[in-house]
Structure formats: structure tokens, C-alpha cells
Amino acid sequence: MTGDPTDFARELRQRQTRAEEALWKALRGRRLDGLKFRRQHPVGRYFADFACEPLRLVVELDGGVHDQDEAHLNDYLRQQEMEALGWCVLRFPNERVLSDIAGVLGEIRRQARLAAT
């Protein structure tokens, strides 16, 4: 990444996938149990797809490219680094978000309850 991190995060938000758009619609404006989520929020040297900072909860969405071995390894290392910083990371495939948004929100809700205790 080069340049201003804020500009990079803004660019990522403008290039969101259909799954990111669908999940953001369900999370924005504290729509999920009053929890405040941010899109493309910096966590260490990465930008989390979605983050609830008070609960240190990250939600990452994975498209088809994430099935490739190198991308899978990069995702694993990225998740390890975020977790080392004290964040809990949930991962969902894009297809699941598009086909079972209620189930995805249920899992996020369960993890948020655990994080709040």
C-alpha cells in the first residue's frame, strides 16, 4: 500500500463486492443489536472488511480468490496478526453472505455476545 491509508480505505469501500454491500446494509447504522461497525477499519497493518472496535470483533468476507493456496495462507497470516493484537476474527465466504445472511448475522450476534462478557 502506498499513499494515505485513509484514501486506500476509501477506495476499498468504493470497490466493495455484492456480499460486502449486503452485509454492510445489515450492519450499518447500528442495525445489529445496536453495535457500531465500521467498514475497511485499520487493524494493525491491515484493513478489516468490518470491525466493531468496542468488542474488538472483525468480520472478513472471502471471495473465490481466497480458495487459492497462496491467498489462503495470506488470510491465515493476516488473521493470526489481528488475533495477536487482541481481535476476534470471523470469516465468511461471499456465497454464504448472499445465500444465508440471517445465519451470518446470527453468528456475528453470538460472537458479539461472547465478546461483551
Side-chain angles (χ1 to χ4, degrees):
M1 174 186 71
T2 60
D4 180 29
T6 303
D7 289 340
F8 184 68
R10 186 176 296 120
E11 180 183 328
L12 289 172
R13 285 190 298 271
Q14 291 170 352
R15 291 187 293 135
Q16 69 184 347
T17 65
R18 282 184 34 231
E20 288 171 334
E21 185 177 345
L23 186 56
W24 181 237
K25 187 175 179 182
L27 295 176
R28 68 185 296 217
R30 301 178 187 263
R31 290 180 181 159
L32 182 68
D33 297 344
L35 299 170
K36 179 167 178 62
F37 279 87
R38 295 172 178 251
R39 290 185 300 162
Q40 301 304 328
H41 183 72
V43 175
R45 62 189 181 121
Y46 299 105
F47 287 91
D49 291 336
F50 303 95
C52 179
E53 197 167 16
L55 297 179
R56 307 212 29 106
L57 175 61
V58 164
V59 178
E60 291 282 288
L61 302 186
D62 298 333
V65 71
H66 293 266
D67 293 336
Q68 299 170 0
D69 287 342
E70 185 175 325
H72 189 71
L73 175 60
N74 289 338
D75 288 342
Y76 174 78
L77 295 173
R78 171 187 172 105
Q79 182 167 335
Q80 292 296 308
E81 192 168 323
M82 288 180 176
E83 289 174 348
L85 293 170
W87 291 79
C88 174
V89 179
L90 295 177
R91 303 192 83 83
F92 299 99
N94 283 351
E95 301 80 33
R96 171 124 189 257
V97 172
L98 294 172
S99 66
D100 182 26
I101 189 84
V104 168
L105 293 173
E107 287 187 41
I108 295 169
R109 183 176 281 120
R110 277 188 291 283
Q111 187 58 50
R113 281 191 209 121
L114 287 173
T117 59

